[in-house]
């Protein structure tokens, strides 16, 4: 039995043990559902959680005069994590391809942003392009990995999803603005408005346990952006990169940065839709009914 099957068996055993307790009352059922929600969220954050652990752990424990630079170790460790996820079948190859695409997209933006002084990587390393250590692309890939994994874990479907092509236009405009706002007018407010126009009526349906739940997609996007902002604070505290405002000492990343993460998260979401095409919730229920009837 491989690791993936052992994990599934452990989850099944937990369910057998806890299900009778969950059925005793409605509140027990809610508590168990919340537990499963948390466990699935943690599992979806596997790549990101490991990356954060590496950033903080190496900040605290990395020897000052080690022959291998900390940033170079982070590159090697990031590649090893990605390879292990694929080898253990904890991540699919098509998902890994999208994550690689996001890795490239993120690295290109890093090269541009560091050249314009938006942030810097203060430590020396060999495995880098210009001023950008190669592990940075994996930090962007963490977002894509989370979205791809959570899509499967929660069987996500959508209500009133906008036309597929419109979301890709939004993603292209967002990505372009990350570059062009250095030279022309920043259209970020317009992009916020466009995202609200496209997704304002969209709900996503997710299943933590057995009962489908629903949430406005924009609310979900804001919540994910908030947690990415928390992670960014940990990353800068660990010295993985620093903003100009942190050059004299660490301070919290301004909450306004959450807006940039919201837009970047939308790019990641659209890239993931290349693998997981959005399915209408009503269509999914009909298909489920057909399978049950068969």
């Amino acid at each position: 039995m491989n690791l993936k099957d052992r994990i599934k068996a452990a989850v099944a055993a937990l369910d057998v043990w806890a299900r009778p307790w969950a059925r005793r009352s409605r509140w027990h059922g809610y508590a168990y559902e919340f537990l499963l929600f948390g466990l699935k969220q943690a599992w979806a954050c596997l790549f990101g959680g490991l990356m954060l652990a590496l950033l903080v752990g190496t900040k605290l424990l990395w020897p000052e005069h080690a022959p291998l630079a900390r940033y170079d170790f982070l590159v090697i460790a990031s590649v090893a994590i990605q390879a292990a996820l694929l080898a253990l079948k904890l991540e699919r190859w098509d998902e890994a391809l999208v994550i690689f695409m996001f890795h490239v997209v993120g690295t290109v933006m890093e090269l541009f942003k560091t050249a314009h002084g938006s942030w810097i990587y203060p430590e020396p390393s060999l495995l880098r392009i210009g001023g950008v250590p190669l592990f940075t692309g994996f930090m962007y890939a963490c977002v894509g990995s989370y979205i791809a994994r959570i899509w499967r874990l929660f069987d996500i479907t959508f209500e009133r999803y906008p036309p597929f092509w419109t979301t890709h236009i939004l993603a292209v405009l967002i990505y372009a603005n990350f570059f062009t706002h250095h030279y022309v007018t920043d259209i970020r407010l317009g992009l916020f408005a466009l995202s609200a126009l496209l997704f304002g009526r969209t709900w996503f349906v997710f299943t933590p346990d057995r009962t489908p739940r629903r949430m406005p997609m924009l609310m979900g996007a804001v919540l994910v952006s908030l947690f990415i902002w928390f992670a960014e604070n940990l990353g800068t505290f660990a010295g993985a990169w620093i903003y100009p405002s942190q050059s004299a000492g660490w301070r919290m990343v301004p909450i306004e940065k959450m807006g940039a993460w919201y837009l970047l998260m939308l790019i990641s979401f659209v890239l993931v839709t290349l693998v997981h095409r959005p399915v209408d919730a009503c269509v999914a229920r009909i298909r489920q009914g057909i399978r049950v009837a068969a």
Side-chain angles (χ1 to χ4, degrees):
M1 182 182 295
N2 60 36
L3 178 61
K4 183 178 181 179
D5 291 336
R6 287 200 296 269
I7 292 172
K8 285 185 176 181
V11 172
L14 170 66
D15 189 68
V16 170
W17 176 77
R19 185 66 60 182
W21 178 85
R23 288 172 175 164
R24 290 180 185 176
S25 71
R26 176 180 297 180
W27 289 107
H28 283 194
Y30 289 154
Y32 183 55
E33 184 178 41
F34 185 74
L35 171 65
L36 292 179
F37 176 82
L39 290 174
K40 287 184 177 182
Q41 285 282 357
W43 190 238
C45 292
L46 179 61
F47 195 180
L50 290 173
M51 284 295 298
L52 274 179
L54 282 171
L55 295 178
V56 176
T58 54
K59 172 65 175 180
L60 297 175
L61 302 174
W62 197 255
E64 184 177 354
H65 300 293
L68 179 66
R70 181 170 80 110
Y71 283 177
D72 291 339
F73 170 78
L74 290 172
V75 176
I76 297 169
S78 300
V79 173
I81 290 171
Q82 182 66 80
L85 290 176
L86 290 170
L88 297 172
K89 299 183 178 180
L90 300 179
E91 194 167 80
R92 291 173 13 182
W93 280 98
D94 55 355
E95 292 172 349
L97 177 61
V98 171
I99 291 168
F100 173 75
M101 292 168 57
F102 201 63
H103 189 290
V104 173
V105 166
T107 300
V108 171
M109 190 170 71
E110 285 283 329
L111 289 167
F112 181 85
K113 289 292 189 179
T114 53
H116 284 75
S118 298
W119 54 81
I120 63 169
Y121 294 90
E123 298 181 26
S125 63
L126 295 176
L127 302 176
R128 63 195 299 136
I129 301 175
V132 181
L134 295 182
F135 77 87
T136 60
F138 287 99
M139 295 190 298
Y140 289 91
C142 289
V143 182
S145 174
Y146 167 78
I147 295 175
R149 290 167 65 82
I150 206 169
W151 203 304
R152 290 188 288 109
L153 290 169
F154 285 91
D155 297 321
I156 290 178
T157 55
F158 296 88
E159 296 176 357
R160 294 187 292 274
Y161 192 84
F164 192 65
W165 61 272
T166 62
T167 63
H168 289 267
I169 290 177
L170 173 64
V172 170
L173 290 175
I174 291 172
Y175 190 63
N177 189 65
F178 279 122
F179 298 88
T180 60
H181 83 85
H182 288 276
Y183 307 108
V184 296
T185 303
D186 188 349
I187 61 170
R188 186 171 309 188
L189 292 179
L191 294 172
F192 290 146
L194 181 57
S195 70
L197 178 65
L198 292 179
F199 294 111
R201 299 176 62 251
T202 303
W203 291 62
F204 69 93
V205 180
F206 61 103
T207 308
D209 184 17
R210 296 179 175 178
T211 303
R213 307 294 182 185
R214 57 200 291 269
M215 176 185 291
M217 181 167 168
L218 291 179
M219 180 186 295
V222 170
L223 289 174
V224 172
S225 304
L226 177 62
F227 280 100
I228 295 175
W229 177 75
F230 287 142
E232 182 181 33
N233 276 283
L234 279 176
T236 55
F237 175 77
W241 70 97
I242 59 173
Y243 290 105
S245 63
Q246 298 170 324
S247 58
W250 183 82
R251 61 179 64 185
M252 288 191 70
V253 177
I255 191 66
E256 292 82 6
K257 287 287 184 182
M258 210 180 95
W261 283 114
Y262 167 82
L263 295 174
L264 199 64
M265 191 276 302
L266 289 179
I267 295 176
S268 182
F269 170 81
V270 171
L271 283 175
V272 172
T273 62
L274 298 175
V275 174
H276 298 291
R277 292 294 290 265
V279 175
D280 184 85
C282 292
V283 173
R285 286 193 292 268
I286 292 172
R287 291 175 180 174
Q288 180 65 24
I290 293 173
R291 284 196 294 266
V292 171

